[in-house]
Amino acid sequence: MGVRKRHNKWWVDFSFDGKRYRRPSPDNTRSGAQVFEAVLKQRLARGEPTDGIKGEIPTYQIFAKNWFQVYVKNNNKYSEIRSKEMILRVHLIPFFGRMKLDKITNLETEKYKARKLQERLSAKTVNNHLAVLRKSLNSAFEWGNLPKPPIIKKLETPPQSIDFLSETECNKLIQHADGYWRDMIIIALGTGMRFGELIGLTWDNIDFRKREITVKQAFAKNVLGSPKSNRIRCIPMSDSVYQSLSCMRKKGKFIFMSSRGNHLDQNVSLRKIKTICRKAGVRSVGWHILRHTFASHLVQAGANLVVIQSLLGHSDIRTTMRYAHTNEEALQKAVNLINYKSVTIASQA
């Protein structure tokens, strides 16, 4: 027994001290049922009730540490685990830790936002904290530790500006790069891959017959895992990308490797592209600007936003919509479709 699926519903089913416990999981997924089973067993081992809110409501510190162990570690990628651990340890637990879960009200979350803004954290950073707080309290509600989670409102953030290189700047970068750095720039500009996806690319991901690249892994904080949002995608090769890959020598598992045969270090790679920018007489940019450039040039060429979303691996079309404003020529043509005739009203004497 343990967890099992029955009639499209995940259940936990186990015995404890000679008594059988069979319950539907509040999170209808296998991993959710496993977490629910672990929580039930822990509460039984501590002699706590397992039906609804019948025992003492825990403090946020106690619950958050348990939530991190049984939920975050089982459901998040390594980079996300590290990020959530830092947010809990440095920010959320010091502020909410001594409060019982039902005392974390809308007012308390507003006080938290005010405190963090006073500490000069950006609205985006504070919103990341609130996302972790919201998820943990929603889990507390689902697991029977909280009668009702509070409504947590995000801070308003200014629209993100999109920086990208012109075609002339792209050509200058390519001309002043050499070796595999030149190939990396060409492939980054021709595919829009994130840097972690680029250095995680292996020869097994390349299909020369179909002229297609499969993006199914990425490095994050030097750990190889799945791409962002776990979205595997296929990117057709342009002629320049196909030519670059065809001319490269296979020296190991990864396409781009250091002289020691390891995957490329992000800090070293950032310094390298900035050096290339300086040689090319191009303003200093990082690798992610090449991804923005890929998307912006597609928009300028009239590519469909849904197609661009698929190529970039965005889970939400709203993220792709950020690039819509980069096609100023198309915007001008659109407004020119409506042209009212001028009406001159003669002034009366």
Side-chain angles (χ1 to χ4, degrees), residues 164-172 189 283 293 297 300:
F164 63 96
L165 300 175
S166 66
E167 185 176 344
T168 300
E169 290 173 320
C170 292
N171 288 329
K172 285 182 178 180
L189 288 169
R283 58 200 164 83
T293 301
H297 286 185
Q300 291 177 340

Side-chain angles (χ1 to χ4, degrees), residues 18-270:
K19 182 179 178 181
R20 185 178 182 183
Y21 294 85
R22 181 174 176 273
R23 307 220 180 129
S25 170
D27 182 354
N28 194 29
T29 63
R30 182 182 183 85
S31 60
Q34 290 171 335
V35 171
F36 184 52
E37 178 190 21
V39 171
L40 288 178
K41 288 180 177 179
Q42 286 182 5
R43 297 189 74 173
L44 288 168
R46 294 193 296 261
E48 298 175 356
T50 59
D51 295 315
I53 306 297
K54 293 182 180 178
E56 184 179 357
I57 297 176
T59 62
Y60 185 73
Q61 180 174 4
I62 292 174
F63 176 80
K65 289 182 177 180
N66 184 51
W67 176 73
F68 181 80
Q69 293 295 327
V70 300
Y71 180 84
V72 175
K73 285 188 173 181
N74 289 328
N75 292 276
N76 291 159
K77 296 191 297 183
Y78 178 73
S79 58
E80 295 170 337
I81 292 172
R82 288 188 57 179
S83 174
K84 286 183 172 65
E85 188 278 330
M86 185 278 294
I87 290 172
L88 287 167
R89 174 174 49 83
V90 177
H91 299 283
L92 296 180
I93 290 178
F95 189 91
F96 296 106
R98 295 183 179 182
M99 297 182 194
K100 291 191 175 181
L101 296 180
D102 60 341
K103 300 302 181 183
I104 303 177
T105 61
N106 301 350
L107 175 59
E108 295 301 329
T109 60
E110 292 300 324
K111 290 180 180 178
Y112 179 81
K113 288 191 280 188
R115 169 78 63 83
K116 293 305 170 181
L117 291 175
Q118 288 174 358
E119 295 174 4
R120 298 187 180 280
L121 270 63
S122 69
K124 184 177 184 299
T125 298
V126 177
N127 283 342
N128 291 339
H129 296 180
L130 296 176
V132 176
L133 178 64
R134 182 188 299 111
K135 181 60 183 176
S136 63
L137 293 178
N138 284 342
S139 294
F141 170 69
E142 292 171 359
W143 298 352
N145 292 110
L146 181 63
K148 182 180 178 182
I151 298 173
I152 300 175
K153 297 180 180 179
K154 295 194 300 182
L155 289 165
E156 293 291 334
T157 55
Q160 182 180 355
S161 59
I162 301 296
D163 185 19
F164 63 96
L165 300 175
S166 66
E167 185 176 344
T168 300
E169 290 173 320
C170 292
N171 288 329
K172 285 182 178 180
L173 273 189
I174 294 170
Q175 289 167 6
H176 287 81
D178 53 20
Y180 63 79
W181 295 109
R182 182 177 184 273
D183 294 312
M184 276 185 69
I185 291 172
I186 291 173
I187 294 169
L189 288 169
T191 63
M193 282 191 285
R194 301 176 180 91
F195 179 76
E197 296 169 343
L198 196 63
I199 63 174
L201 203 60
T202 66
W203 288 108
D204 291 341
N205 303 144
I206 310 299
D207 190 327
F208 286 105
R209 185 179 62 83
K210 292 183 179 180
R211 294 173 65 109
E212 190 174 76
I213 299 173
T214 301
V215 181
K216 57 183 178 181
Q217 58 192 18
F219 276 102
K221 299 186 185 298
N222 291 321
V223 176
L224 187 63
S226 58
K228 191 172 182 179
S229 302
N230 297 314
R231 295 178 69 87
I232 296 175
R233 67 189 190 279
C234 294
I235 305 174
M237 296 186 219
S238 64
D239 290 341
S240 58
V241 170
Y242 180 83
Q243 184 177 1
S244 288
L245 287 169
S246 299
C247 295
M248 292 181 68
R249 293 175 58 189
K250 298 182 180 180
K251 297 181 179 180
K253 176 182 178 181
F254 296 104
I255 293 177
F256 302 110
M257 303 178 67
S258 69
S259 57
R260 296 182 178 181
N262 301 320
H263 72 272
L264 293 176
D265 178 79
Q266 186 165 1
N267 292 327
V268 172
S269 302
L270 180 60

